Amino acid sequence: LKKNTTEKKQKRGYTDMIKGNSLRVYLGLEKESDAYGVNPAPMTHRIKVASESLQAKYNKKDEGLLTGGIATGKVGTMSKKVEGALSTLLRPDDAGLLLYLLCGKETTATPDPAAQSVVHTFEAIGNKLSDSLPSCTIGIDRTVQMEKYTGCKVNTLSVSAQKEDYIKVDLNFIGARKIVEEIDNADALKPSTQSAYKFLGGEFKIENVHVADVTNMKLDYNNNLDADTMTMDSGEYNLEPECGARDIKIEVEVLYSKASAHLAKKYYDTDDDFSLSLHFASAETSKEGKPFTIDIELAAVQLTDCTNNVGGADKVIQKMSMKAIENFIDPLIAVSVYNNETALYRAE
């Protein structure tokens, strides 16, 4: 029957069409003790994505010599690496892994073995020689073949929230190798069944005071990974990418009011810094009956731009751009994720 069906397709000119909805994406943390990007990690999570762009990038270079012919010369591969992005929604059980990969340091106390839910806490890694972001293997099943991308580190992450929408997350990765091989436990891993966080469950605070009438918010976190360092000893792959200066920017839009104008006067007209916090709560609850939450705390932030011009008859919007700075007392960023994942994320 299968043979007959194939023959009919060939006679009618049919081809096997690959549909985007068949895409499957998997993640697995790599061990700190393993050589960077050499061995793929076992897959432990499967996430639903809106799009992906993971690919191997080969730097192919022409010799640049005269050939004596009518065409240019052959090219050779100078280096290999992995680059690409994933776009998804922020969910309680996926959020911990993604934010751990972003920040790199989990400070969660060891949970009680009887605990059903845990508050996971994360901070940005330092700049010592021993400080390095965790890496993961990303498995991509595009139906035709399965591929694993090793040594993937989060270079940038954007969290965006706007009215009548979900909380969206865009992650950009830099990695080491592409390996074409089967994902062993692919069928056993299922994506999260929990609902994504929504804009309506969010709250924005400055100096622990609720900021009213937020209509749009975006947080951009950049690890500034050094991704193109090669030596004679590193072979055709670059050295493990490490963090540069962390760059955290926030953009917020609010309805223009006396309260928002006061914020501009207090912080934009001066160079004073302030604390900022973002809070997201899910309508779903944990096994202990509490709402799933994510809290992002920035201890020192400065207002770098503020506008509230009138452009028409619609409501006036005040736009504020901010950046996080260090006060050398508190962590640059502190993230808390409350979910049902009782295991620690930090790699052993």
Side-chain angles (χ1 to χ4, degrees):
L1 181 61
K2 185 175 181 181
K3 181 180 179 182
N4 292 336
T5 302
T6 303
E7 289 176 351
K8 288 180 180 179
K9 284 184 177 181
Q10 291 172 344
K11 288 178 181 179
R12 296 182 183 181
Y14 292 159
T15 57
D16 291 326
M17 300 288 289
I18 307 302
K19 302 294 181 64
N21 198 47
S22 62
L23 172 73
R24 296 185 179 186
V25 177
Y26 305 87
L27 276 81
L29 277 175
E30 296 173 353
K31 293 182 179 180
E32 292 181 352
S33 56
D34 288 351
Y36 168 71
V38 176
N39 300 314
M43 301 293 103
T44 57
H45 291 71
R46 176 179 159 190
I47 63 172
K48 293 179 279 190
V49 301
S51 63
E52 61 85 16
S53 62
L54 268 291
Q55 60 178 313
K57 301 282 287 187
Y58 300 154
N59 178 20
K60 294 181 179 287
K61 189 173 182 179
D62 192 306
E63 288 182 341
L65 302 177
L66 303 177
T67 64
I70 61 174
T72 56
K74 293 178 65 176
V75 298
T77 299
M78 299 293 108
S79 64
K80 296 180 179 180
K81 65 179 177 180
V82 165
E83 288 183 349
L86 297 177
S87 295
T88 185
L89 301 178
L90 202 60
R91 302 177 189 277
D93 45 2
D94 294 336
L97 175 63
L98 300 181
L99 291 168
Y100 170 62
L101 287 169
L102 173 72
C103 296
K105 181 180 179 181
E106 182 173 8
T107 59
T108 308
T110 303
D112 185 325
Q116 299 184 77
S117 308
V118 173
V119 178
H120 298 271
T121 54
F122 309 103
E123 295 177 7
I125 61 169
N127 53 10
K128 297 178 181 178
L129 290 176
S130 58
D131 290 326
S132 184
L133 277 182
S135 61
C136 69
T137 299
I138 301 177
I140 305 287
D141 181 356
R142 301 187 182 98
T143 305
V144 172
Q145 69 181 17
M146 294 182 180
E147 299 171 352
K148 294 178 181 178
Y149 298 89
T150 67
C152 291
K153 295 190 176 189
V154 175
N155 188 33
T156 65
L157 180 145
S158 295
V159 178
S160 58
Q162 58 185 352
K163 62 180 181 178
E164 300 180 355
D165 208 347
Y166 294 101
I167 308 302
K168 297 179 180 179
V169 184
D170 296 295
L171 304 104
N172 184 275
F173 293 89
I174 293 174
R177 292 166 168 79
K178 181 184 83 169
I179 301 173
V180 178
E181 66 178 22
E182 293 293 309
I183 298 172
D184 294 336
N185 57 336
D187 292 335
L189 292 174
K190 307 298 180 185
S192 170
T193 58
Q194 294 178 351
S195 299
Y197 290 97
K198 300 176 183 178
F199 175 81
L200 57 84
E203 185 179 25
F204 182 84
K205 291 182 179 182
I206 289 179
E207 287 293 314
N208 208 32
V209 176
H210 174 81
V211 177
D213 300 324
V214 174
T215 61
N216 201 331
M217 184 283 303
K218 185 178 182 183
L219 183 146
D220 292 317
Y221 189 119
N222 192 339
N223 277 314
N224 284 305
L225 291 177
D226 179 8
D228 297 303
T229 302
M230 173 180 275
T231 68
M232 286 185 174
D233 299 320
S234 63
E236 61 186 356
Y237 296 99
N238 294 312
L239 294 177
E240 180 175 358
E242 301 295 354
C243 288
R246 264 41 64 86
D247 192 9
I248 304 175
K249 296 180 179 178
I250 308 95
E251 294 182 0
V252 178
E253 295 183 3
V254 301
L255 297 182
Y256 185 51
S257 65
K258 288 184 177 181
S260 66
H262 176 71
L263 290 175
K265 182 178 180 180
K266 187 173 182 180
Y267 298 114
Y268 188 56
D269 292 353
T270 70
D271 292 328
D272 294 345
D273 62 81
F274 51 90
S275 65
L276 180 153
S277 61
L278 292 170
H279 173 78
F280 299 110
S282 172
E284 291 185 327
T285 58
S286 68
K287 294 177 181 178
E288 295 170 340
K290 300 177 182 178
F292 293 119
T293 58
I294 294 178
D295 292 296
I296 301 174
E297 304 285 342
L298 298 168
V301 176
Q302 285 185 303
L303 198 54
T304 58
D305 194 18
C306 187
T307 59
N308 47 39
N309 299 104
V310 179
D314 295 334
K315 291 183 176 66
V316 180
I317 300 296
Q318 179 168 309
K319 299 180 180 180
M320 297 183 288
S321 298
M322 314 168 201
K323 66 169 292 184
I325 60 172
E326 284 190 86
N327 62 10
F328 298 98
I329 300 172
D330 305 290
L332 176 66
I333 185 171
V335 182
S336 299
V337 178
Y338 177 71
N339 60 23
N340 286 336
E341 301 295 317
T342 56
L344 300 181
Y345 292 97
R346 61 173 180 253
E348 300 298 337

